[in-house]
Structures are given as C-alpha cells and as structure tokens.
Amino acid sequence: MAMKRALGVLLFLLWSPWALAVAPYISADRVAGGDVVQVLAAVEKKTGAAGLTTLGKYQIQGMPQYAVLVVSNKGILDAIHRLGGSNIVGAGIRIGVQSDGTVSYMNPDYWYRAFFRSNFVREQAAVKAVQERLAQALGVGAGFGGDERAAFLPEYRYMPGMERFDSDKNELNTLPDFNAAVTTVRDNLAKGVDHTAEVYEVVMPDKKIAVFGVAMNDDKTGDGRWIYTVGGADYIAGLPYEIYIVGNKVYSLYARYRIALGWPNLSMGHFTRIVEIPDEIRATMGRVAGTTPEH
C-alpha cells in the first residue's frame, strides 16, 4: 500500500506543472534552401496564409545565412491589450530561418509563461490559439534549446542573485509623457543611434504601452558578435531584443535575464565569454531611450 501511495505521488509530481519541462523553441518544417531573403519570403507566405501578420524582418549583421521573421495576430494582441503594462513585450512572435531552409520558432508556451507571468493562466487560451496557428503554418517538430520547468518561468532567472523580468535595472528613462517616450525611441532607432535599427513596433496608445524590436548591429557588441561567440546561432528565434514603454517610462529587459531566457542551455562558461555584453546592451538601449548621448 505504501509503495502504491509513493508511486501515486511520483506520478502526480511528474505530471504536475512543477515537473513539466518546456523548451524555448520548436523545429518547423524545412523549406527550400537558397538566398536567406528567398527563404524568408517562403516562410512569410506560409505564415500569412495562416492568418499571422508580419511585423518586421531582421537580417542579423555578420550572420548572412540567418534571419528572423516577426509576426503577430489579433488574438495575442488582444490578450496583451487586456493585460496592459509590461506584457507588451510579448507582442512579437519570432521565427528563425536559415539559408539552408531550416526554420524554427519561439515556443509560445515557454515565452508567454515568462512574459505574462501571473497572467499566463488568464490568457492561456490566446497562447494556445497562436501556438496552433504557428503549427498550422510551419509544422511542429521537436522542442529544443534547453528545458525549463513551466512553473519556474514566471519567476525565471538564470541563477540566484541574477535579474528577473521585473529587475530594477530594466528602467532606462522617464519622459514627459507617453507620446514623448514613443517619439524618442522611434526617432533614435530611425537615426541608427549606437548602430541600432527598428525591426518592428507595436503601439497601443489607449493603454499607453508600446514595444520596439531593436536590431543591434555594432561590429564588436552587436547581436551577430555575441551569438557567434557563444555558438548560439541555432536559437536566433530569440531575437530581436525589445525596448518597451509603459506610460512615460522606457524599459528594456536586462540582458542577464533576457539572454538567459532565450539561450537557457548555455553554460556559465559560455556566459563568461560575453560577460561585458549585458551592460553594453543596457548602455545601447539607454541611448535609444534618450538617457545618454551616443558615444
């Protein structure tokens, strides 16, 4: 009897959310290889047919064989509109493509647990719907990129003492009002401040929230450089980085959180190779937010 009870407890734990492991990325069906722009167009055609709207495209500096398609759909945007606040970071749904025809996409079940946090259960139907739409468009292969316990993702951090989603290091600048914040970020990205560019934007004026996807193209500290350094090219659906606005404040997830969330299976040895990158990213985002002048 005691053994049966123990087995029952074990089965409960294995099937409970505390034990459920979730991968950050899903392998999709391959498409014909060729120039990465052609591959990107083929994937965009599939997502469009499934009702996913293109927000932007990102060809990563120094990685000519890789690109990212960012899409969204009404269901997930409606969920974000209902939630408001920092949940706006989840507006972009990222799909990675390679010139050999390899395609992968962010796993909504992973990323929205982290981004929506305590609101995930409330909006789980919208997350499931977008996951089904991605599967319809691109197919469903194996999950990859590392495994994190589902119940840990709302409070995720790489290790004790490191930043979480709501780190105080996220806040970059305070502007007079929401419109001034949006204009500042938009204008600085248009000017290419600190070798940046806009990949996409989603602005919800009535909720006073906005998010911009930021291409970081600096030869020494940009996305292509640090991804190459840690060997993380297969996980390009973790890009681009986001800068977001809530009210009159500009934020960006601190990189020791954001990089670890997107590349959770990297070892501490990998991260020591890019130890300067989190603060470099914060400095770049600060200049985009108008905190400090471009160097």
Side-chain angles (χ1 to χ4, degrees), residues 66-245:
Y66 298 85
V68 180
L69 175 68
V70 184
V71 300
S72 200
N73 84 316
K74 185 178 185 300
I76 206 71
L77 293 178
D78 284 349
I80 290 168
H81 189 270
R82 284 190 293 270
L83 296 174
S86 58
N87 298 281
I88 188 65
V89 295
I93 300 162
R94 304 176 306 272
I95 301 161
V97 307
Q98 302 180 32
S99 58
D100 66 359
T102 300
V103 182
S104 61
Y105 54 92
M106 59 171 268
N107 180 0
D109 191 45
Y110 178 96
W111 287 87
Y112 288 115
R113 286 179 189 274
F115 285 169
F116 287 176
R117 292 159 291 142
S118 62
N119 293 308
F120 175 79
V121 173
R122 173 180 164 186
E123 298 297 345
Q124 196 164 5
V127 174
K128 183 178 179 182
V130 81
Q131 190 136 14
E132 290 172 349
R133 206 170 281 269
L134 285 165
Q136 173 192 341
L138 303 172
V140 186
F144 71 96
D147 294 305
E148 294 295 330
R149 292 185 182 179
F152 289 174
L153 284 168
E155 295 295 327
Y156 178 82
R157 60 182 174 184
Y158 182 71
M159 61 184 298
M162 287 195 176
E163 294 78 11
R164 289 193 166 106
F165 182 98
D166 53 359
S167 165
D168 59 5
K169 290 185 178 180
N170 295 354
E171 186 175 332
L172 300 172
N173 200 6
T174 300
L175 282 302
D177 54 36
F178 175 72
N179 289 335
V182 169
T183 298
T184 297
V185 171
R186 186 182 284 148
D187 287 353
N188 282 335
L189 289 173
K191 289 188 292 188
V193 165
D194 235 16
H195 307 284
T196 60
E198 180 182 316
V199 178
Y200 71 91
E201 69 173 80
V202 175
V203 180
M204 299 181 179
D206 62 320
K207 301 290 284 191
K208 292 185 169 52
I209 54 176
V211 63
F212 296 78
V214 180
M216 287 186 276
N217 298 321
D218 186 88
D219 289 338
K220 294 181 180 179
T221 60
D223 292 330
R225 175 58 61 185
W226 71 258
I227 287 173
Y228 174 81
T229 301
V230 299
D234 287 340
Y235 316 131
I236 54 167
L239 295 175
Y241 220 90
E242 307 86 7
I243 191 167
Y244 63 99
I245 297 164

Side-chain angles (χ1 to χ4, degrees), residues 4-26:
K4 285 184 178 179
R5 282 199 300 270
L7 180 59
V9 170
L10 178 61
L11 288 172
F12 170 78
L13 290 173
L14 287 173
W15 287 100
S16 75
W18 287 95
L20 175 66
V22 189
Y25 307 106
I26 296 173

